[in-house]
Amino acid sequence: MAGMVPFGSPCSEKEHIEKSPPVVTPLALALGEAWRAGQLLRPHSNDAFVQGCDSEVAELVGSALGAALRQMLDERRPSGSFRFLVPLDEALTDLSLDFSEASVEIALAPFGAFPPAGRQRIGSFRTALTEVILRRVAEELKVGLKVKKLRGDNAHHIVEATFKSFARCLRRAMDAASGLVNGGPRFSAAVLGERRVQKKRGTKETNIDISVDLDLSPETPERVATGFHTLDALLRRLGSGLQLTASCVGDAWIDEHHSVEDVMITVGQALHQALGSKAGCCRMAFAEAAYQSAQVLCVMDLSNRPMLCSDLQWQGQQEEMAEDVSVEMLHHAFESFVVNAAMTVHLVQVRPEGAVSPCALDLALAAAEAALPAENGFRKDREIDGDAEYCKSERPVLALQASALEMQASVGWPGASMKVRQARVEKLTRKFELEKHKQEIVAFEMDHIEQAHVEEQRQIHRFSLRERLRQNRAAKDEWEARGHELWQENMKVRMTRENEQMRFSDKVLRTQQEKELTLRRQAAEEVLKGTQDFESGLVTLGLTKTKEDVIPEDSSEEETDSVEKLLAQTSKVASAKELVEALQAKLPTGQELNYEANLFMRKIKESKEAGAIARRERERRRRRVLVEQQREQEMLEENQLEQVLLEKLGRESIEESAISYRSWRVNMFEEVFVRNRQARQQQYIAQKRADKEEAG
C-alpha cells in the first residue's frame, strides 16, 4: 500500500504519521499509544493479548476504526437508518445503523451452545471484546447501533457474521449516500455473458426438463407444468423474478415424493449453473413478508455452503396434506432447492414467535420470492381477506451490482469509454487467459508430480544408503566381537603356557634340590664310613682300646654311659699328633675342596644358563606363533573388507548410473515443458493480438 510504513521501522513518529494516509492515521496513533504504554503486541501470535491489555487494545482499535470511518464519511454522510442480516451456516445476526441517533444495543451472548454459558475465547480473542469494539466504533462514528443474534451455535460463526453484517450495512449506507441503492447502472449481459441454462434429469421415477433464464429473455415462454398444483404455485412464486420453465412426468400414481424432490433438485442445480461464478450478484439479501399479525423473514446467501435453517410453524401440524402435496414435503422441497443451489437460507418466523401461524408457508414463499429475483423493488402482491400481503427487499441476491467502469462512463468521467472498451476486449480474451491458466495448472501439477517422483527416488536412495550403513556397522561390530573373542582365547592359551612353564621351572628346581640333598647324604655317609674304618684299624693295630676294655663289668649303668660318651668323643690314637695326622690323611686337601666347589658352582651356572636359554627359546617360539596368528587374522580381515568394498562400489555404480539416467530424464522433461510453455505463450500472445486487432 502506497505511503504505508511497516510497524517497527526506524523512522520517527512524525514521519510515520506524515507518510501514512489520513484514513489509517488514527489507527496507527492508537496502536502507537498502546505500544508506548508498554503493552505486548506481537503480530500473528496467539499469546499477543495475554498480558491483561486486550480490553484497552480493543477500545483503541474500535476508536481508531470509528475515527477513520468518520473522516471518510465527512463529505457524504448518509442519513436515515440501514439494516443488514448476514447468515453464516447456522448463525444469523441482525444489525442496524441509524445515522439520526446515537444509541447502542448489542445482544450477542451466549457465544455458542457449548458450554451452556457460551465460549469465553476464540483462540486468544475474548468473545466479549466484540461488543467493546462495536460500541467504540459506533461512539466514534456517532451513529445508532443495534445488533441482535437471531441464531447461532458456533462462537466463531457468530463473531464472523456480526462483523460481516456491520461491513455490509456500512456499505449499504455508503451506496445510499452515493445514490446507488434503487437505481444506477448495472452490469450488462454483454459483460457477464449469457446466464441461461436448460437442464434435464431422468431417473427411474421421473423425467424432468428445467429452463432458467436470469436475464428475463422475452423469447422464452413461461410454462410450469409438474402435475401438482401446489408445486406449480411454489415454482411460479420462486421464479416470478426470473424466467423459469419446468415440466415433469413422474410416478404421480404412487405419490408426489419423487416428483417434488427431483423437480426442486433440478431447479436448484439449474440456478447454480446459471449463476456461474456469481460475478456481479449482490450475493446476500433478506426480505420480510407480513400478513395481519404474522411476519416471516427470509435471509439468503449465495455462499456455496448449502444450509437451510427454519423455525416456521406450519399450518398443517395436525393435517397431512396441503392440497395435493404432503406437508412434510414442503420443508423437504425447500431443503432440496437450497442444497442444490449451494445457498445458505434462513427462514425466521418473527410473529407470532413460537406459535402456529396459519399463513407461515405463504409468507415464507413471499419473502423468498422477494429476496431471490434479479430486480430490486417493493411489491404489493395480492390481498388476502381484505388485507394486503406485502413483502420488501431492498436488494435481492440475484440483483446485479453497479459496474465501476459503467458508473464512470455514465457520469462522464474522462477515459471511461476507453475503459469499457478495454473491458470488452478483456472479456474476449478471457477464455484464452483461462486456457492459459489451465495449462499452467497442468504444467505445475506435472512438475509437482515429477518432483514428488524424484523426491521419492531420493528417499529410497537415502533409505538404501542408511540400510547399507547399518549393515556395515553390524558387520564391523560382529568382526570386533569375533576379534575380541579370539583375543580372549589367545590370552587363555598364553596363561596356560605360562602356568605350564612355571610348573616346569618349579619341578626343575625341586629336582636340583633333591640332587644336592642326595649328594650331601652320600658325602656324610662316606665320611662316617671312613671314620668307622679308621677306628676299626686303630683297634686292630692295638693303638686304642675297645668298649669292653674301657668299661669294667662291675660299673654301674651311669658310669657305663659316661664312659661311652667319653670314648665316642676321643679318637683311638696314642697321641694328638697321631690323631691329627690320621684326620689329615682322611680329610681332602684344600685344592680338592676348591676344585669340588668350583665344579659344583660351574654346574649350577650351566644349569641356570641352560634354563634361561630354554626360556628365551620358548618365549621366541610363542611370540613367533602369536605374530603368525595376528598376521593371518589381519590378512583375513583385509580380504573380507576388500570383498565388502568391491560389493559396495559395484552397487553404488549401478545406483549412480540409474540416478544419473533419472536426472537426465527429468532435465529432458523440464526442457520439453519449457519449450511447450513458450510455444503456448507465443500462441496466446499471437491470438490475443489478433483478437485485439479484430475488436479494434
Side-chain angles (χ1 to χ4, degrees):
M1 184 181 294
M4 292 293 290
V5 178
F7 185 77
S9 59
C11 66
S12 63
E13 180 182 355
K14 182 177 180 181
E15 294 176 352
H16 181 76
I17 296 175
E18 291 176 354
K19 293 181 180 180
S20 301
V23 176
V24 299
T25 300
L27 178 60
L29 287 175
L31 294 177
E33 292 176 2
W35 180 264
R36 287 194 300 274
Q39 309 299 346
L40 183 59
L41 298 177
R42 293 188 296 166
H44 312 296
S45 175
N46 288 331
D47 58 350
F49 301 112
V50 298
Q51 304 295 330
C53 66
D54 52 354
S55 299
E56 292 79 0
V57 172
E59 291 184 358
L60 290 172
V61 171
S63 300
L65 181 59
L69 292 174
R70 188 178 69 251
Q71 291 182 12
M72 187 171 60
L73 296 176
D74 278 344
E75 297 181 359
R76 291 185 180 181
R77 183 174 180 81
S79 60
S81 61
F82 302 90
R83 180 188 181 194
F84 205 91
L85 291 89
V86 171
L88 186 61
D89 291 347
E90 88 293 342
L92 178 63
T93 57
D94 185 359
L95 187 141
S96 300
L97 289 177
D98 192 349
F99 286 83
S100 60
E101 59 179 20
S103 62
V104 179
E105 297 179 8
I106 300 177
L108 294 175
F111 289 89
F114 303 99
R119 291 182 61 181
Q120 302 298 321
R121 287 185 177 273
I122 302 175
S124 62
F125 177 76
R126 286 198 298 120
T127 53
L129 297 180
T130 306
E131 181 177 351
V132 175
I133 294 174
L134 292 176
R135 190 178 296 276
R136 293 299 299 169
V137 171
E139 291 175 357
E140 290 292 335
L141 195 55
K142 297 180 180 180
V143 297
L145 175 64
K146 293 182 180 180
V147 185
K148 182 180 180 181
K149 181 191 72 174
L150 300 181
R151 289 175 183 156
D153 296 331
N154 187 286
H156 187 98
H157 291 168
I158 295 170
V159 174
E160 185 176 354
T162 301
F163 283 106
K164 281 186 176 181
S165 59
F166 176 78
R168 290 276 182 168
C169 192
L170 184 63
R171 172 63 185 272
R172 178 160 291 184
M174 295 168 61
D175 289 347
S178 302
L180 298 176
V181 175
N182 293 319
R186 295 286 182 263
F187 279 108
S188 63
V191 177
L192 293 177
E194 294 184 357
R195 301 195 298 169
R196 184 186 310 168
V197 172
Q198 184 174 4
K199 191 171 185 62
K200 295 182 179 181
R201 177 184 175 90
T203 63
K204 294 180 180 180
E205 297 85 7
T206 59
N207 190 5
I208 300 169
D209 188 0
I210 301 295
S211 176
V212 175
D213 189 354
L214 301 182
D215 296 323
L216 301 175
S217 301
E219 64 273 9
T220 305
E222 180 179 357
R223 184 174 63 85
V224 177
T226 62
F228 296 93
H229 175 72
T230 304
L231 181 59
D232 293 346
L234 188 149
L235 291 176
R236 288 191 184 96
R237 299 207 68 176
L238 286 178
S240 61
L242 48 90
Q243 197 75 28
L244 175 64
T245 301
S247 63
C248 173
V249 178
D251 54 351
W253 62 89
I254 299 177
D255 64 355
E256 80 288 353
H257 181 91
H258 293 124
S259 298
V260 174
E261 182 182 35
D262 292 349
V263 166
M264 298 306 290
I265 288 175
T266 311
V267 171
Q269 292 176 352
L271 179 61
H272 180 66
Q273 187 175 349
L275 287 172
S277 63
K278 301 180 180 62
C281 293
C282 291
R283 178 183 163 180
M284 296 183 186
F286 65 93
E288 292 179 328
Y291 172 71
Q292 293 181 353
S293 62
Q295 183 179 355
V296 174
L297 174 66
C298 177
V299 185
M300 291 187 175
D301 182 10
L302 304 178
S303 60
N304 288 332
R305 299 167 65 168
M307 175 170 284
L308 174 63
C309 297
S310 173
D311 62 353
L312 298 182
Q313 304 297 322
W314 299 101
Q315 174 187 2
Q317 282 187 340
Q318 305 299 327
E319 299 177 3
E320 181 179 353
M321 301 296 294
E323 295 187 5
D324 55 353
V325 176
S326 60
V327 175
E328 66 178 3
M329 283 304 300
L330 296 176
H331 182 273
H332 187 55
F334 270 106
E335 186 177 14
S336 300
F337 171 71
V338 169
V339 170
N340 287 276
M343 303 168 61
T344 301
V345 177
H346 284 255
L347 296 175
V348 183
Q349 182 171 313
V350 182
R351 297 194 310 267
E353 185 175 0
V356 177
S357 174
C359 55
L361 175 59
D362 280 343
L363 294 179
L365 285 174
E369 176 188 2
L372 185 62
E375 295 294 335
N376 303 323
F378 173 90
R379 294 191 302 278
K380 182 184 290 184
D381 290 331
R382 56 179 176 168
E383 292 185 357
I384 303 177
D385 297 333
D387 293 332
E389 176 200 82
Y390 75 89
C391 55
K392 181 180 181 181
S393 175
E394 296 181 356
R395 186 178 295 176
V397 292
L398 300 184
L400 297 176
Q401 302 185 83
S403 168
L405 295 179
E406 295 185 356
M407 285 170 52
Q408 296 174 9
S410 64
V411 298
W413 284 15
S417 59
M418 183 62 67
K419 292 182 179 179
V420 173
R421 181 180 177 185
Q422 184 179 357
R424 292 173 180 171
V425 173
E426 290 178 355
K427 181 198 171 185
L428 293 175
T429 58
R430 186 177 301 142
K431 59 181 180 179
F432 300 104
E433 296 293 337
L434 293 175
E435 182 65 23
K436 174 184 176 182
H437 183 62
K438 290 180 181 178
Q439 293 293 336
E440 289 178 350
I441 291 175
V442 171
F444 176 76
E445 291 178 352
M446 294 180 67
D447 293 344
H448 181 69
I449 292 172
E450 188 64 27
Q451 290 177 2
H453 179 69
V454 173
E455 185 64 24
E456 181 181 2
Q457 295 297 324
R458 289 177 180 172
Q459 292 294 337
I460 293 173
H461 181 62
R462 292 194 189 100
F463 177 77
S464 62
L465 290 178
R466 293 194 188 99
E467 184 65 20
R468 286 200 298 272
L469 179 61
R470 186 189 64 79
Q471 294 176 358
N472 292 337
R473 288 179 178 175
K476 179 183 177 183
D477 295 339
E478 183 179 358
W479 293 342
E480 290 180 352
R482 181 60 180 167
H484 185 68
E485 292 177 358
L486 293 176
W487 177 79
Q488 288 181 346
E489 293 178 359
N490 294 332
M491 291 299 295
K492 289 180 181 179
V493 173
R494 178 180 178 183
M495 293 295 295
T496 304
R497 291 179 178 176
E498 289 180 353
N499 292 331
E500 291 179 355
Q501 185 177 1
M502 291 178 65
R503 285 195 298 271
F504 179 76
S505 300
D506 294 339
K507 185 177 180 180
V508 171
L509 181 61
R510 286 195 300 271
T511 303
Q512 291 178 356
Q513 291 177 355
E514 290 176 356
K515 288 181 179 181
E516 290 178 356
L517 290 175
T518 303
L519 291 175
R520 289 178 182 176
R521 282 196 301 271
Q522 291 177 357
E525 289 177 354
E526 289 178 357
V527 171
L528 179 60
K529 185 178 180 181
T531 304
Q532 291 177 356
D533 293 340
F534 176 73
E535 289 180 354
S536 62
L538 290 178
V539 172
T540 303
L541 295 175
L543 296 176
T544 183
K545 294 180 179 180
T546 61
K547 181 178 178 181
E548 291 79 4
D549 296 335
V550 177
I551 300 173
E553 296 179 355
D554 55 352
S555 62
S556 64
E557 186 175 356
E558 292 181 355
E559 290 178 353
T560 303
D561 292 336
S562 61
V563 171
E564 289 180 355
K565 291 180 180 179
L566 182 62
L567 290 175
Q569 293 177 357
T570 58
S571 299
K572 297 177 181 181
V573 291
S575 62
K577 183 178 179 180
E578 294 178 355
L579 179 61
V580 171
E581 291 177 354
L583 290 175
Q584 289 179 351
K586 292 292 182 179
L587 292 176
T589 61
Q591 293 180 354
E592 292 176 351
L593 291 175
N594 290 332
Y595 176 76
E596 291 179 357
N598 292 331
L599 180 61
F600 182 73
M601 291 299 295
R602 186 166 60 253
K603 290 181 178 179
I604 292 175
K605 288 181 181 180
E606 289 177 354
S607 176
K608 288 185 178 181
E609 289 178 358
I613 292 171
R615 284 195 297 273
R616 286 196 296 271
E617 183 66 21
R618 287 194 297 272
E619 181 68 20
R620 184 178 64 80
R621 292 178 180 177
R622 184 180 63 82
R623 288 182 181 179
R624 184 173 59 190
V625 171
L626 292 177
V627 169
E628 290 178 355
Q629 291 179 353
Q630 184 178 3
R631 186 180 299 107
E632 291 177 357
Q633 182 68 23
E634 290 177 354
M635 291 177 62
L636 180 61
E637 291 180 354
E638 288 178 357
N639 293 332
Q640 292 179 354
L641 182 60
E642 288 178 358
Q643 292 178 0
V644 172
L645 291 176
L646 289 175
E647 293 177 358
K648 181 177 179 181
L649 291 174
R651 289 196 299 269
E652 289 183 352
S653 62
I654 295 173
E655 293 175 356
E656 288 176 357
S657 61
I659 292 172
S660 62
Y661 172 72
R662 287 196 293 269
S663 301
W664 173 81
R665 184 180 176 186
V666 169
N667 294 330
M668 292 297 295
F669 282 162
E670 290 179 354
E671 292 178 1
V672 172
F673 290 155
V674 171
R675 288 199 296 270
N676 291 340
R677 198 175 302 166
Q678 291 176 355
R680 288 196 298 270
Q681 184 71 20
Q682 293 176 1
Q683 292 177 1
Y684 292 146
I685 293 173
Q687 188 66 33
K688 189 174 181 180
R689 188 182 300 111
D691 291 338
K692 286 184 178 180
E693 292 175 358
E694 183 179 354

